[in-house]
Amino acid sequence: MTAPFPTPKTDEAQRLLSPEELEAALRDIGARRYHNLHPFHRLLHDGKLNKDQVRAWALNRYYYQAMIPVKDAAVLARMTDASLRRVWRQRIVDHDGDAPGDGGIERWLKLAEGVGFARTYVESTQGILSATRFSVDAYVHFVKERSLLEAIASSLTEMFSPTIISERVAGMLTNYDFITKDTLAYFDKRLTQAPRDADFAIAYVKEHATTPALQRQAMDALTFKCNVLWTQLDALYFAYVAPGMIPPDAWTPGTGLVPEPAVAQATGTGTLTAHDVPRLPRGVRLRHDAVRDQHVLLAPERTFDLDANAVMVLELVDGQRSVRDIAGVLAEKFTADASVIEADILAMLNDLATKRVLER
Ligand SMILES: O=C(O)c1cc(C(=O)O)c2c(n1)C(=O)C(=O)c1cc(C(=O)O)[nH]c1-2
């Protein structure tokens, strides 16, 4: 497809660059346009956003994460060479995993849950900004419509991502008390996946962009992709930072979240989340008081009576299972909805945590 408004030909576009010059020109595009330079990222990394603004970022970026394998499947579908497909298909595995509960999309959902979202709300994508959807969809369309060279070149933003990831993880861990290393686990794997993918893509582009016109196409593809990323942050900034104009139907703070247990909130104690592994602190025991026929939690100089549900949960608290694991066991036992059980268990365990008879 020819662009309706083709990029004006510059002198640079007329001259065939050496592969090294081409790489330098591509890197220069990143140095000027990559999304690490966007004000929203600067605020995110420097700890200048509030929790809801960080939530808006996590929610919207989920759509990018979820569509990346769709994009890569489209790229794969254009490859007639099995040896290329064999390399590219790894990208889909990285995001989808080999089994349920595995892979990058799952890890992004954990990030979103870590900042308080209900997984089903995030997966529904109903609260994302239209601009997020437009720009991510534009990326998918681009790789379907343009040449394979352009499709591969558009992924070259990944050359620049390891730096921003290191900066983001360090910045967010230092600056936000609600962010943990576990929450950001998504990025651990990207630190090796992104350079591996980028090395392959840049080698391909250097080998196949063999005319000035093809080199220009590769550069334009990378510029386009930088714009895909930049636009998403513009939209976040506009809606959630300044002027703070949230479009109709987009996420508004307070919605789509797992309710935080009121007691833990009031006392300000660290709230357990579904991924935490609860255990009884040293000196606290689950006992059956035979005289009263009552299960109790026995702590130094204190006891707490437990109802039957609490006993069932605490019998599964073994310092190995996470809250989610425990909910899974009980959901299976009672053929009930695991997410409902999980919410109940979290409320109960957080109540015990505030009484200091449970820890993670
Ligand atoms: O955290 C980031 O700043 C960042 C940037 C990019 C990128 O540069 O496109 C990707 C990712 N992360 C990422 O996680 C990811 O899976 C990914 C895939 C692609 C792609 O174009 O195929 N880019 C990116």
Side-chain angles (χ1 to χ4, degrees):
M1 192 191 92
T2 34
F5 303 103
T7 312
K9 293 270 178 291
T10 60
D11 287 349
E12 188 65 6
Q14 311 297 324
R15 184 170 77 78
L16 182 67
L17 305 178
S18 70
E20 291 67 35
E21 284 175 319
L22 175 61
E23 178 169 346
L26 291 164
R27 287 189 183 280
D28 180 58
I29 292 170
R32 288 180 293 110
R33 312 179 83 117
Y34 192 52
H35 66 176
N36 62 321
L37 301 170
H38 196 286
F40 190 91
H41 266 159
R42 301 258 50 90
L43 296 173
L44 175 70
H45 302 168
D46 293 347
K48 302 279 166 49
L49 297 181
N50 63 34
K51 192 168 181 180
D52 283 325
Q53 291 165 331
V54 175
R55 283 174 170 151
W57 167 76
L59 177 70
N60 277 272
R61 186 159 155 174
Y62 172 75
Y63 189 64
Y64 184 61
Q65 298 304 141
M67 292 303 281
I68 286 286
V70 174
K71 182 274 292 186
D72 284 320
V75 177
L76 203 60
R78 318 202 46 184
M79 292 175 160
T80 51
D81 180 340
S83 63
L84 273 184
R85 289 198 299 269
R86 212 173 291 125
V87 175
W88 206 269
R89 72 185 181 206
Q90 185 58 41
R91 293 175 180 239
I92 300 178
V93 175
D94 288 344
H95 287 275
D96 288 347
D98 273 322
D102 189 22
I105 298 178
E106 178 64 29
R107 282 191 289 278
W108 197 272
L109 281 168
K110 295 211 169 100
L111 189 155
E113 286 182 300
V115 294
F117 278 112
R119 155 183 296 248
T120 45
Y121 179 75
V122 179
E123 284 175 319
S124 77
T125 75
Q126 71 188 57
I128 64 165
L129 296 164
S130 305
T132 304
R133 202 179 294 279
F134 293 154
S135 49
V136 171
D137 291 352
Y139 186 25
V140 178
H141 292 311
F142 183 91
V143 305
K144 285 184 182 168
E145 287 167 5
R146 301 299 182 100
S147 65
L148 182 58
L149 174 70
E150 289 168 296
I152 293 181
S154 66
S155 75
L156 283 175
T157 43
E158 284 192 281
M159 288 198 292
F160 319 117
S161 72
T163 321
I164 189 178
I165 289 176
S166 315
E167 183 190 308
R168 179 182 301 140
V169 171
M172 289 181 77
L173 283 177
T174 313
N175 293 317
Y176 299 110
D177 59 4
F178 55 89
I179 295 286
T180 66
K181 221 173 156 338
D182 268 1
T183 308
L184 298 183
Y186 172 79
F187 295 109
D188 295 347
K189 288 246 188 335
R190 289 309 300 165
L191 284 172
T192 46
Q193 290 168 353
R196 179 207 60 201
D197 292 349
D199 286 352
F200 179 83
I202 187 69
Y204 181 93
V205 169
K206 282 159 79 176
E207 187 185 340
H208 291 85
T210 49
T211 67
L214 291 174
Q215 293 185 337
R216 170 52 51 196
Q217 283 179 12
M219 288 188 251
D220 288 349
L222 178 56
T223 302
F224 163 80
K225 172 64 176 308
C226 286
N227 293 341
V228 163
L229 298 175
W230 193 274
T231 310
Q232 291 175 62
L233 297 174
D234 277 352
L236 277 172
Y237 194 97
F238 187 83
Y240 297 105
V241 179
M245 244 171 83
I246 301 177
D249 299 336
W251 177 71
T252 47
T255 58
L257 306 175
V258 173
E260 287 188 36
V263 182
Q265 237 176 11
T267 55
T269 46
T271 310
L272 284 169
T273 70
H275 302 292
D276 286 318
V277 175
R279 56 179 186 169
L280 297 181
R282 187 186 282 271
V284 177
R285 304 255 177 288
L286 179 63
R287 283 277 175 275
H288 182 248
D289 178 344
V291 178
R292 293 193 298 138
D293 189 26
Q294 166 74 53
H295 276 93
V296 294
L297 260 189
L298 199 61
E301 306 185 24
R302 294 177 303 161
T303 59
F304 294 91
D305 286 354
L306 299 168
D307 64 27
N309 289 339
V311 174
M312 227 158 13
V313 173
L314 286 171
E315 280 173 341
L316 295 169
V317 167
D318 59 359
Q320 306 282 320
R321 293 187 183 93
S322 67
V323 175
R324 173 147 305 158
D325 296 335
I326 294 171
V329 173
L330 294 174
E332 199 162 356
K333 186 163 166 191
F334 296 107
T335 34
D337 186 343
S339 60
V340 175
I341 295 195
E342 194 177 277
D344 288 345
I345 297 182
L346 272 173
M348 188 209 98
L349 293 178
N350 272 303
D351 184 33
L352 294 175
T354 55
K355 293 173 177 146
R356 309 263 173 254
V357 285
L358 193 91
E359 59 184 22
R360 59 184 146 181

